[in-house]
Amino acid sequence: MTVPYQLSGDRVPRAADVDLADPAFWRLPRPDRLRAFALLRELDAPVLFTPRPGTARTSGKPFHALVRHADVRTASRTPQVFASAPGVTTPEPAGWAKALFGNSMVNMDGAEHAALRRIISRRFTPRLLADAEENVGRLAGRLVDELIAERPGDFMPSAASRLPLEVICDLMGIPQAYRARIAEQIDHASEHVGVERRGRARLLRIPGRGLASLARMQWAMGRLARERRLRPEDDLVSALVRADIDGEALSGRQLGAFFSLLLVAGVETTRNAIAHGLFLLDRHPEQRELLRSDFDRYIGGAVDEIVRHSTPIIQFRRTVTTECELGGRTFLPGEKVALIYASANRDEAVFTHPDRFDITRSPNPHLGYGGGGPHHCLGAHLARLEMTALFRELIDRRPVIRNLGDPELVDSNFDNRVGSLPFSFGPTFT
């Protein structure tokens, strides 16, 4: 049940009560936050939010919130004005961290970003993608078989998390011996992204653990890269570290940065989308039965609607490089803007009945994979394959899951993360 939005104690909410720079806002129930975004969309121009002293997660930098679909899309498609460098998250990555771990592709612009993305994109050959699709189907079937056999009480650490991790590890050619440790490092590296940390001990301890986890993943990938240069195999790591006819290849540090991005972003976003999708289909049985009636016809729309409705990544930041006007406001060089995808995907100007879950929604120009432009999600195709394969198994064998509980959401201003999703098993399996 939706709790009435009350940030200041007023019974009637006002846009003036909304403060996206206050960590307390991101601990509100999700329906309240969505209602707050709707209030901001009604305003004439993007609002400037200034963090108050002591809110470490915002790094003390004011930012304008882009909440309308058109504004987020325009900013995404003009990277020469709204730059990803020096960083798209808060706080921005420190210079020493980039020097130590390598710069992530999401924080690059222009020629540097284009060159790195070209090297990676050219290795995603049609044959590799076809093999990946076949492998995803096999993995989804095996994981649901194991779900039935092992009967866990939480969907998250089983199929939801394991499918994207196994898919990426198979694609990259990560040996089985590495995988359990890598899964642990992913959890540690991303555990507190976008969350206010309380207490001095947590403030000092958690970042160190996250960086240590990234270092361990980098070390593992550096070791694997050296092995693949000497003894290449038919996998993505071998293709990325061996120069092609143009002499393009990734260095060990570049490979480590890409692998960290692929795992933390690819695993986290897809696992959350899967969990939200399962919950949405359970709570909207008419949509579930429509999907079951003709899976191949409706699954594409279902995946898009799940991503739109849940919006796994809430926001990314951009830095203004030159004076410009957008959405009724003039922006100056050096100013920060937040691209609020969670708001853009509920924009009434674009989506009819935006709060409704409708797998037949068409058109559905959601921004769940970014707003287009050079930073459009590189793993979008893979995420669609994974969601399609797993939902096919779960829909075909619906009695596997009964009595799905409410998801336990993790407080975050960065991603719509599901901590746990309890469920029980049906009495029969088909």
Side-chain angles (χ1 to χ4, degrees), residues 193-313:
V193 173
V195 182
E196 181 193 25
R197 297 160 186 159
R198 303 171 187 169
R200 176 173 293 274
R202 290 174 63 86
L203 184 63
L204 294 175
R205 178 174 61 85
I206 296 299
R209 187 171 70 174
L211 292 176
S213 299
L214 288 175
R216 293 186 188 102
M217 283 194 287
Q218 296 274 30
W219 178 84
M221 287 310 298
R223 177 181 174 183
L224 186 61
R226 291 190 294 272
E227 293 175 359
R228 292 293 193 266
R229 287 192 185 97
L230 295 174
R231 293 178 294 278
E233 297 185 11
D234 189 19
D235 56 43
L236 190 56
V237 169
S238 298
L240 288 171
V241 300
R242 300 183 73 222
D244 62 10
I245 57 175
D246 295 322
E248 293 182 324
L250 295 190
S251 67
R253 193 172 64 168
Q254 285 176 321
L255 178 67
F258 170 65
F259 182 64
S260 298
L261 171 65
L262 190 62
L263 282 176
V264 175
V267 172
E268 285 293 313
T269 55
T270 305
R271 74 185 282 276
N272 291 326
I274 289 170
H276 284 291
L278 183 61
F279 178 75
L280 286 166
L281 290 170
D282 185 82
R283 292 302 191 268
H284 296 85
E286 77 289 349
Q287 298 293 304
R288 184 185 68 236
E289 293 308 311
L290 181 61
L291 178 59
R292 186 202 293 271
S293 70
D294 193 338
F295 186 87
D296 290 330
R297 176 183 178 184
Y298 292 112
I299 186 56
V303 168
D304 277 333
E305 182 67 348
I306 288 166
V307 172
R308 181 198 72 85
H309 202 278
S310 64
T311 311
I313 296 295

Side-chain angles (χ1 to χ4, degrees), residues 51-331:
R52 294 192 295 271
T55 54
R57 289 301 302 171
T58 55
S59 299
K61 296 180 180 179
F63 63 93
H64 292 87
L66 302 186
V67 293
R68 301 191 192 106
H69 186 281
D71 294 345
V72 172
R73 187 174 183 272
T74 297
S76 300
R77 294 177 180 232
T78 51
Q80 68 277 14
V81 177
F82 296 94
S84 295
V88 299
T89 57
T90 54
E92 295 167 356
W96 64 265
K98 292 181 181 180
L100 181 61
F101 299 113
N103 193 13
S104 177
M105 191 163 59
V106 297
N107 298 324
M108 296 179 182
D109 297 297
E112 181 185 27
H113 174 265
L116 183 57
R117 188 169 176 121
R118 182 180 63 251
I119 294 172
I120 293 168
S121 297
R122 288 173 61 177
R123 270 59 173 192
F124 281 86
T125 63
R127 185 178 69 83
L128 183 144
L129 292 175
D131 290 345
E133 183 171 4
E134 184 178 344
N135 184 49
V136 169
R138 287 196 302 266
L139 275 171
R142 176 172 63 82
L143 290 175
V144 173
D145 287 341
E146 293 178 5
L147 197 71
I148 294 170
E150 298 170 5
R151 303 175 72 84
D154 185 357
F155 187 72
M156 296 311 296
S158 51
S161 293
R162 289 182 60 195
L163 179 63
L165 175 65
E166 293 291 338
V167 167
I168 289 174
C169 286
D170 283 349
L171 186 69
M172 297 287 286
I174 308 300
Q176 286 288 340
Y178 286 40
R179 298 190 185 187
R181 185 62 172 162
I182 284 173
E184 181 182 356
Q185 302 311 319
I186 293 171
D187 289 341
H188 289 171
S190 61
E191 185 177 6
H192 291 280
V193 173
V195 182
E196 181 193 25
R197 297 160 186 159
R198 303 171 187 169
R200 176 173 293 274
R202 290 174 63 86
L203 184 63
L204 294 175
R205 178 174 61 85
I206 296 299
R209 187 171 70 174
L211 292 176
S213 299
L214 288 175
R216 293 186 188 102
M217 283 194 287
Q218 296 274 30
W219 178 84
M221 287 310 298
R223 177 181 174 183
L224 186 61
R226 291 190 294 272
E227 293 175 359
R228 292 293 193 266
R229 287 192 185 97
L230 295 174
R231 293 178 294 278
E233 297 185 11
D234 189 19
D235 56 43
L236 190 56
V237 169
S238 298
L240 288 171
V241 300
R242 300 183 73 222
D244 62 10
I245 57 175
D246 295 322
E248 293 182 324
L250 295 190
S251 67
R253 193 172 64 168
Q254 285 176 321
L255 178 67
F258 170 65
F259 182 64
S260 298
L261 171 65
L262 190 62
L263 282 176
V264 175
V267 172
E268 285 293 313
T269 55
T270 305
R271 74 185 282 276
N272 291 326
I274 289 170
H276 284 291
L278 183 61
F279 178 75
L280 286 166
L281 290 170
D282 185 82
R283 292 302 191 268
H284 296 85
E286 77 289 349
Q287 298 293 304
R288 184 185 68 236
E289 293 308 311
L290 181 61
L291 178 59
R292 186 202 293 271
S293 70
D294 193 338
F295 186 87
D296 290 330
R297 176 183 178 184
Y298 292 112
I299 186 56
V303 168
D304 277 333
E305 182 67 348
I306 288 166
V307 172
R308 181 198 72 85
H309 202 278
S310 64
T311 311
I313 296 295
I314 295 173
Q315 65 167 306
F316 271 143
R317 298 294 176 99
R318 295 289 189 268
T319 300
V320 180
T321 63
T322 186
E323 183 174 332
C324 68
E325 192 279 332
L326 180 65
R329 181 175 293 279
T330 298
F331 294 95

Side-chain angles (χ1 to χ4, degrees), residues 144 288 291-296 388-400 428-430:
V144 173
R288 184 185 68 236
L291 178 59
R292 186 202 293 271
S293 70
D294 193 338
F295 186 87
D296 290 330
T388 297
L390 189 56
F391 284 123
R392 185 186 299 276
E393 293 290 333
L394 293 172
I395 288 291
D396 285 348
R397 296 190 274 181
R398 171 60 190 160
V400 169
T428 60
F429 308 114
T430 59

